[in-house]
Amino acid sequence: MFVTLDERVDPAEAQSELQALGVWPTAHQDESGRIVGFALAAHSAGVSIERLGAVNGVRQVLAPQSKHPLLDARANRPVEVAGLRIGDGPPVLMAGPCSVESEEQIRVAAAMVAAAGARVLRGGAFKPRSSPYAFAGHGALALGWMRRAADSHGLAVVTEVMSEADVDLVAEHADLLQVGSRNMQSFALLRAVGAAGMPVLLKRGFAARIEEWLLAGEYLLDAGAAGVIFCERGVRGVDPQTRNVIDIAAAALLKHVHGLPVVVDPSHAVGRRDLIPVIGRAALAAGVDGLLVEAHPDPAAALSDAAQALGPDELATLSFVPVPEDRNRARIRYRQPPFWS
Ligand code: PEP
Ligand code: MN
């Protein structure tokens, strides 16, 4: 973005007014050394073109055409999931097992995540697995089990859709449709999921650039999605000790510069239960709108992603505290780390 200046104004005054808005101006001079305008980098907040145009001394605002106008038009607006607003209030906890393994397992898991302050139950019915021989979920059966378990605790349901053929079935049971990391650029699936007209949780592809992730969100909105919540779940790095490399800067960029609803999935990001609470807190400190966390009543028995499943006690360490007067909201209680005292 670039602003040109009126010749009669003092560039220093225009510069400080621009800085006060939270943008970062870099001066451009003509051959005689006179400052004729500023290139603007988004700093901590999205500022509207109208507001920039109203700065004293700004003659013209030159903005490149956006590649994702539908997303931009929704900046700073929350996404509603079964009456729960995500994006403009306290962070929301979404939790549950990697896979829905049985009716009993998801019933116990729902009670456990509700007790930890979660508002959304997660669980895979259709699982993307690297091996064709691994447990791939109970499909339609699991959707019914999960819906009943969630309803008995007033929880919303988020679950993955892997195939265009399953969109209607999943949409009948879920409140939030999940597009997984491996499918972030499955464009036909994005169109089919968007056409369901529901809110969508869009995981970042494990090798996707931020712009590609945004464009995948634009696909969903263009197809009719009611809203898009972006989920950072880590990108592939070089070291297997953590499953992926968590990109908190990407989450912060989408949240603070683009004004989009963002949650972080520390479970798939780090792949090991010991680091999940602390990385979750790091994401919350960056201002994200919630966490998506894998939790299992008996992690050792989990049929998928056992190493990253939190048990009931570990889930409680996330310290999501339901606010009694408004059960739609959850608040994070930060424990002061020792190095701050
Ligand atoms: C999941 O959340 O169930 C999942 C498979 O995650 P991802 O798509 O991020 O790997
Ligand atoms: Mn998983």
Side-chain angles (χ1 to χ4, degrees):
M1 193 134 27
F2 196 87
V3 293
T4 61
L5 294 181
D6 196 314
E7 292 142 24
R8 288 159 302 183
V9 300
D10 175 4
E13 272 177 33
Q15 179 168 12
S16 56
E17 207 177 315
L18 287 164
Q19 276 168 344
L21 290 177
V23 292
W24 202 259
T26 306
H28 277 244
Q29 303 170 336
D30 64 12
E31 312 78 60
S32 68
R34 190 174 64 85
I35 295 177
V36 291
F38 293 104
L40 303 180
H43 175 39
S44 58
V47 181
S48 72
I49 289 178
E50 292 72 34
R51 185 66 194 85
L52 291 171
V55 168
N56 189 28
V58 166
R59 195 168 54 190
Q60 229 187 342
V61 183
L62 307 170
Q65 217 174 10
S66 170
K67 293 191 189 119
H68 27 76
L70 299 175
L71 277 180
D72 296 351
R74 282 162 181 271
N76 305 314
R77 278 169 47 191
V79 170
E80 235 181 77
V81 177
L84 178 68
R85 285 158 69 96
I86 299 177
D88 69 347
V92 171
L93 176 61
M94 308 178 180
C98 179
S99 308
V100 178
E101 297 165 1
S102 67
E103 180 148 32
E104 172 68 1
Q105 175 245 20
I106 195 67
R107 205 177 50 72
V108 177
M112 167 182 141
V113 305
R119 302 296 300 135
V120 183
L121 178 65
R122 65 143 290 145
F126 295 99
K127 294 299 305 173
R129 302 307 304 275
S130 302
S131 163
Y133 310 117
F135 173 63
H138 289 297
L141 211 50
L143 292 172
W145 298 335
M146 185 161 40
R147 182 73 264 172
R148 280 196 290 283
D151 286 346
S152 56
H153 295 279
L155 298 168
V157 166
V158 59
T159 193
E160 178 163 352
V161 193
M162 281 176 54
S163 154
E164 293 155 67
D166 298 329
V167 172
D168 290 346
L169 176 69
V170 178
E172 265 170 45
H173 294 84
D175 303 293
L176 179 61
L177 301 178
Q178 177 171 327
V179 173
S181 184
R182 289 151 195 81
N183 280 322
M184 190 207 84
Q185 286 191 305
S186 297
F187 300 115
L189 179 65
L190 293 174
R191 287 213 172 277
V193 167
M198 290 178 58
V200 180
L201 182 89
L202 178 63
K203 291 237 174 161
R204 181 180 182 181
F206 55 72
R209 291 187 166 173
I210 293 171
E211 189 64 19
E212 292 168 329
W213 192 18
L214 290 168
L215 286 170
E218 187 78 5
Y219 257 95
L220 288 164
L221 291 179
D222 185 51
V228 179
I229 299 167
F230 289 82
C231 179
E232 162 62 31
R233 46 79 74 205
V235 289
R236 195 162 271 186
V238 292
D239 198 304
Q241 292 202 42
T242 55
R243 186 172 177 180
N244 288 292
V245 178
I246 179 87
D247 188 353
I248 289 185
L253 182 93
L254 261 59
K255 176 69 197 163
H256 301 296
V257 175
H258 293 273
L260 297 168
V262 181
V263 302
V264 162
D265 170 355
S267 305
H268 291 90
V270 299
R272 42 189 287 173
R273 71 174 62 80
D274 56 345
L275 296 179
I276 289 166
V278 73
I279 297 304
R281 281 200 288 273
L284 293 168
V288 301
D289 299 302
L291 299 181
L292 178 74
V293 173
E294 287 191 343
H296 194 289
D298 180 7
L303 296 183
S304 58
D305 284 349
Q308 67 194 39
L310 298 186
D313 293 345
E314 292 150 333
L315 185 65
T317 68
L318 289 176
S319 298
F320 272 72
V321 183
V323 179
E325 66 274 17
D326 181 358
R327 287 198 16 91
N328 276 346
R329 303 251 160 137
R331 192 194 296 147
I332 313 300
R333 200 187 277 155
Y334 290 98
R335 227 163 17 101
Q336 189 113 312
F339 53 82
W340 282 353
S341 53

